[in-house]
Amino acid sequence: LHNVMMSFGHDEYMYRVLVGNDSKLPKEALYMVRFHSFYPWHTGGDYDYLCNDEDREMIKWVREFNKFDLYSKADSLPDPNKLKPYYQSLIDKYLPAVMRW
């Protein structure tokens, strides 16, 4: 999919922010961010003829991420103060302290 011109939305923006800030996220995570909204590809099985071997390997990670995306919301809101230490530790591990947006 590297040679495909995708529409520029929140997925591509966040992908470029992560790459542009030299995040330490693994390639699988970057694929999840970049392509999780490309449903015809990862859910519909379309556009395989545009894929290379790396895309075909990474699709399983995009599908795994999708289980926790759009339709995984809970009825009650979590307590942000309880969640912050966990998510802050991930931010500290994978992202620089100051980012360019």
Side-chain angles (χ1 to χ4, degrees):
L1 298 173
H2 293 282
N3 294 318
V4 176
M5 178 77 68
M6 304 289 283
S7 63
F8 192 89
H10 71 279
D11 303 344
E12 186 67 18
Y13 174 74
M14 193 65 204
Y15 167 78
R16 290 186 187 200
V17 166
L18 294 168
V19 170
N21 282 281
D22 299 320
S23 81
K24 297 175 187 168
L25 289 168
K27 186 183 296 188
E28 294 84 353
L30 294 172
Y31 255 78
M32 289 180 225
V33 169
R34 191 174 198 186
F35 296 115
H36 75 273
S37 295
F38 191 22
Y39 285 91
W41 174 58
H42 65 71
T43 303
D46 299 325
Y47 303 107
D48 184 68
Y49 62 93
L50 298 174
C51 296
N52 61 25
D53 291 340
E54 181 180 44
D55 298 325
R56 291 184 187 99
E57 177 63 26
M58 293 294 165
I59 196 169
K60 66 185 173 192
W61 296 107
V62 177
R63 288 176 176 153
E64 183 65 24
F65 174 77
N66 233 50
K67 295 176 188 177
F68 309 101
D69 187 29
L70 191 56
Y71 302 107
S72 63
K73 311 307 183 252
D75 292 331
S76 60
L77 295 175
D79 181 351
N81 293 321
K82 288 182 181 176
L83 295 175
K84 186 174 179 177
Y86 171 74
Y87 286 103
Q88 189 63 56
S89 71
L90 294 176
I91 291 167
D92 294 342
K93 181 176 180 179
Y94 292 108
L95 302 175
V98 177
M99 294 182 59
R100 296 176 308 279
W101 295 91

